[in-house]
Amino acid sequence: MTEEPLLDPAVQADPFGYYDQLRTHHPVRRMPGTGFYVLTRYEDLRAILRDPDTYSNTLDLEELSGEQARKLGALFQQRLAEKGWPHVPTLHQSDPPEHTRYRRLLNKVFSPTRVRQMVPDVQRICDQLIDAFSEAESAEFVQEFAFPLPGIVISEQLGLAASEIGTFRRWADAMLAPAQGLLTDEDATLKYADIEAEAQHYLAEIFQARKTNPTSDLISALVAASEEEERQGERPLSMPELQNLLQQLITGGYITTADAITSAMWLLTQNPEQTQLLKADPSMIKTFAEESLRMLAPVQGLFRKATRDIELHGVNIPAGAVLHVRYGAANRDPGAFTDPDTFDVTREHVMRHMSFGQGPHACVGAPLARQELVTAFERLLARLDDLRLDPDQEVERNPGLLFYSFKTLPIRFAPARP
């Protein structure tokens, strides 16, 4: 094991026992080697996430890295500015009042009405994906369903055909490269920056087209919301701001949604009695979706920066210190949830979970992610019976500090009887 357990791949694969130790004995713990202050109790996170004056979101992930990572990050930004448009702080790396305008715009894009209008398309995509593997009575769930579903949903919203999912994933992977530590050398850095610039030029053309010929997609909604703000006296969004908002929608609405869908399927394979409850009463699928998010949060933790000296649980945290708020630990806090390590699709008050954050920076795309998760399992459970892991294949996890993610999830099933 490494000096810091949270950096150990074995702990990342199953961190929940370690979370118990931290919550009980070290609710505020300074990580060796990084200097981050790790927080794991539900009420502490709730207070921190709702107080952006004291706990700022303006820090850059590159601040948390070593000199080499900062150097390659600067090269990435330089190349992006030369080939496309530079990253600017919008939703991430900003606090109210600057953050408030961007949030207001995106709330209009992800309105409940708009998400409901997308349901028939999500159902259609789910059934097309299931059609492709249902006769085989087995599937590698990550690559054959969990990743394609949100990828195709967003691709179609960007004007890409479902057949262009490979292009979309290439763009999304490049956009996520800095956060996922893929800028390993100068060649890789320039490659990923060039791919993101390619995506930016495509999006710029779509922005312009939607101004003159709006459709029902998310970009049209963003353009319309921006124009409405201008009519009310706000300055127009710059192209770098538009690009950054779309970059966050693409990356936030893709990888983590796919991870949530995969984790939910894994939980069903481990809890067949819960699957039978859902089969008997599909109206419980919404609660199941929230419970799976609580049990295995796709984003296990993010960061905040202290704006002043503070003291928590007897630990002095100086101004400028980085706090690592661990959502996955708060979701298993027995002070917030009864019997928190038990997967229970009938759980009451489950929507109190932290998996989408809380406060002003709560995930703006949560309504769409929730709908995709619910619709996915409405269709999967209607069409597949006897869900189980494939005993002849390995389940593989992707290690990482921030994300709970599966690399492979091979499953078997029987086609549902009419």
Side-chain angles (χ1 to χ4, degrees):
M1 182 177 287
T2 62
E3 183 180 8
E4 169 47 51
L6 282 179
L7 301 180
D8 188 301
V11 174
Q12 292 168 358
D14 185 9
F16 305 106
Y18 182 56
Y19 290 164
D20 287 341
Q21 296 177 35
L22 291 179
R23 279 193 310 266
T24 303
H25 302 293
H26 305 286
V28 180
R29 178 177 182 273
R30 193 164 189 259
M31 286 176 64
T34 67
F36 304 161
Y37 290 83
V38 182
L39 293 101
T40 48
R41 289 186 181 173
Y42 184 94
E43 288 302 328
D44 290 338
L45 266 68
R46 187 175 184 275
I48 289 167
L49 297 172
R50 293 170 181 268
D51 183 4
D53 290 338
T54 305
Y55 306 98
S56 173
N57 197 44
T58 58
L59 78 172
D60 190 325
L61 284 178
E62 290 171 8
E63 295 179 37
L64 314 181
S65 307
E67 182 178 349
Q68 174 70 357
R70 286 193 292 271
K71 178 182 175 182
L72 292 175
L75 177 63
F76 185 95
Q77 297 294 347
Q78 178 185 339
R79 182 73 159 205
L80 202 58
E82 292 171 356
K83 294 288 190 85
W85 290 271
H87 289 169
V88 295
T90 53
L91 287 175
H92 294 317
Q93 302 168 15
S94 70
D95 287 323
E98 293 83 3
H99 172 269
T100 306
R101 183 194 179 203
Y102 300 121
R103 181 74 193 209
R104 186 171 64 241
L105 283 167
L106 269 294
N107 283 343
K108 295 175 182 176
V109 173
F110 286 107
S111 68
T113 298
R114 180 169 298 281
V115 171
R116 281 195 299 271
Q117 290 171 346
M118 295 172 66
V119 169
D121 286 330
V122 178
Q123 291 173 330
R124 168 181 55 82
I125 295 165
C126 286
D127 280 323
Q128 289 172 346
L129 292 170
I130 296 169
D131 287 343
F133 60 73
S134 59
E135 290 188 6
E137 301 190 11
S138 66
E140 200 297 281
F141 188 73
V142 175
Q143 298 303 323
E144 295 187 60
F145 189 90
F147 266 88
L149 174 59
I152 293 171
V153 169
I154 300 177
S155 292
E156 291 187 353
Q157 292 295 312
L158 300 180
L160 290 168
S163 60
E164 296 179 278
I165 181 67
T167 298
F168 171 79
R169 183 158 189 180
R170 182 167 155 268
W171 290 349
D173 287 345
M175 292 173 178
L176 283 163
Q180 293 188 324
L182 300 181
L183 307 186
T184 53
D185 54 40
E186 290 191 4
D187 288 342
T189 299
L190 296 176
K191 179 189 77 171
Y192 285 123
D194 288 349
I195 294 172
E196 181 168 344
E198 173 192 316
Q200 287 183 331
H201 284 283
Y202 172 86
L203 293 172
E205 292 179 8
I206 296 293
F207 283 131
Q208 198 57 46
R210 296 300 187 266
K211 283 187 176 181
T212 53
N213 295 294
T215 67
S216 61
D217 62 20
L218 293 178
I219 294 185
S220 296
L222 179 58
V223 169
S226 177
E227 291 177 341
E228 181 183 341
E229 294 263 311
E230 288 178 48
R231 289 193 292 271
Q232 295 173 355
E234 293 278 2
R235 66 170 178 80
L237 287 176
S238 67
M239 181 55 71
E241 287 174 310
L242 284 167
Q243 291 285 354
N244 192 257
L245 288 171
L246 258 293
Q247 188 242 26
Q248 291 181 62
L249 296 186
I250 289 169
T251 56
Y254 179 39
I255 303 293
T256 52
T257 302
D259 287 339
I261 293 169
T262 307
S263 291
M265 175 57 80
W266 185 84
L267 286 164
L268 289 185
T269 67
Q270 302 304 295
N271 298 275
E273 75 290 348
Q274 299 291 301
T275 306
Q276 291 309 309
L277 290 176
L278 297 177
K279 285 273 193 179
D281 184 1
S283 69
M284 295 164 54
I285 290 177
K286 288 185 179 179
T287 305
F288 150 72
E290 300 299 333
E291 175 71 344
S292 65
L293 287 164
R294 182 192 71 82
M295 288 288 290
L296 298 176
V299 179
Q300 287 286 297
L302 287 177
F303 300 96
R304 293 293 187 269
K305 181 166 62 177
T307 61
R308 59 179 176 82
D309 294 346
I310 52 178
E311 180 183 332
L312 286 173
H313 299 289
V315 177
N316 293 314
I317 301 175
V322 174
L323 288 80
H324 184 37
V325 287
R326 203 72 182 171
Y327 303 144
N331 283 348
R332 302 281 190 111
D333 188 339
F337 299 98
T338 303
D339 199 10
D341 293 320
T342 296
F343 178 59
D344 179 5
V345 301
T346 68
R347 183 179 296 277
E348 296 181 354
H349 312 301
V350 67
M351 289 189 70
R352 298 177 67 239
H353 68 73
M354 292 273 182
S355 297
F356 291 117
Q358 290 192 4
H361 289 284
C363 176
V364 72
L368 178 56
R370 283 186 158 111
Q371 187 61 63
E372 289 182 71
L373 189 55
V374 168
T375 302
F377 282 90
E378 287 175 342
R379 301 311 304 140
L380 287 162
L381 290 170
R383 298 191 56 185
L384 309 179
D385 280 336
D386 191 22
L387 290 165
R388 61 198 188 281
L389 296 180
D390 187 333
D392 298 328
Q393 304 287 333
E394 289 287 330
V395 174
E396 295 182 68
R397 284 279 322 285
N398 291 311
L401 174 65
L402 301 185
F403 303 110
Y404 194 92
S405 174
F406 286 83
K407 183 177 181 180
T408 64
L409 185 69
I411 62 168
R412 289 186 180 179
F413 52 83
R417 291 182 295 275

